[in-house]
Amino acid sequence: SSDVCSSDLKGVVCTTHVSESFSVPHAILEAAANCKASLIIMGTTSKTIWKKLFLGSTAEEVMRSAKVPVLTIGPHVSPPREFGISFQRIVFANDWSRRARMTLPVAIAFAEDTGGHLYVCGVVQEPSERPGLDDPEQLRSAIASAIPPEAADWCQPAYIIRHGHAAEEILAFSERVDA
């Protein structure tokens, strides 16, 4: 609400933008481009699978089209008690495909900026279509070699390999490390 921008965020410049559009994702991307955003943060809802199939997901469409990182906040996330969130444990999880690996520098920069511990989680759904990624040691080696040595010094990355359903494994691991 506008009350949050005006009273609770002392020292933060907050600009409100209202758009009219037939496409909400397009309006969000246009607003981000107009203000030269370097990050888009969006809340998500818990649509049923049928609503997603017929209506689509606004956040998903923005993520697929955005030229800057998109941080989504799920509907089950509790709001912080105070402003000034500290991200101490950051889980960067993906299927370790070439395109997914390209996002690792963003995760490393985020961990550096927030002083967080970075957990790099490789999730492989079986059977793997990528040779060598079924072997946990090969996957661990591939992940470790992708972290620049200077980043490894401060973020102390932990490498975790999981086999199975990606979403379930990521959520289970995130709960285990209290991320």
Side-chain angles (χ1 to χ4, degrees):
S1 80
S2 60
D3 294 339
V4 171
C5 283
S6 63
S7 63
D8 294 339
L9 299 175
K10 293 173 179 57
V12 174
V13 176
C14 184
T15 304
T16 302
H17 178 84
V18 178
S19 294
E20 288 187 30
S21 175
F22 289 107
S23 168
V24 174
H26 176 76
I28 292 168
L29 293 166
E30 188 175 284
N34 288 342
C35 74
K36 296 179 175 62
S38 55
L39 174 68
I40 298 170
I41 300 176
M42 301 179 62
T44 61
T45 60
S46 291
K47 286 184 182 176
T48 66
I49 189 73
W50 297 111
K51 283 185 180 177
K52 278 187 190 174
L53 285 174
F54 292 110
L55 301 175
S57 164
T58 300
E60 187 171 337
E61 192 171 332
V62 169
M63 284 188 291
R64 290 183 190 279
S65 302
K67 301 209 181 323
V68 298
V70 178
L71 173 63
T72 60
I73 315 273
H76 305 294
V77 174
S78 300
R81 290 192 182 109
E82 348 178 315
F83 291 99
I85 298 172
S86 174
F87 296 101
Q88 295 301 309
R89 289 169 295 285
I90 300 167
V91 175
F92 174 74
N94 65 49
D95 65 0
W96 219 247
S97 63
R98 185 172 94 45
R99 184 170 294 275
R101 283 193 314 266
M102 292 170 44
T103 61
L104 180 60
V106 175
I108 292 171
F110 193 70
E112 181 178 25
D113 286 349
T114 62
H117 182 104
L118 183 62
Y119 293 90
V120 183
C121 184
V123 179
V124 178
Q125 290 184 232
E126 300 192 45
S128 175
E129 296 174 4
R130 293 183 299 280
L133 292 184
D134 286 328
D135 175 19
E137 285 310 310
Q138 273 189 302
L139 181 55
R140 185 181 309 275
S141 177
I143 293 171
S145 67
I147 305 285
E150 62 276 9
D153 290 342
W154 55 260
C155 74
Q156 302 167 354
Y159 310 108
I160 297 91
I161 311 301
R162 294 285 184 260
H163 286 273
H165 187 266
E168 290 172 4
E169 293 297 328
I170 292 166
L171 289 171
F173 176 75
S174 297
E175 278 186 31
R176 198 179 99 222
V177 298
D178 195 26

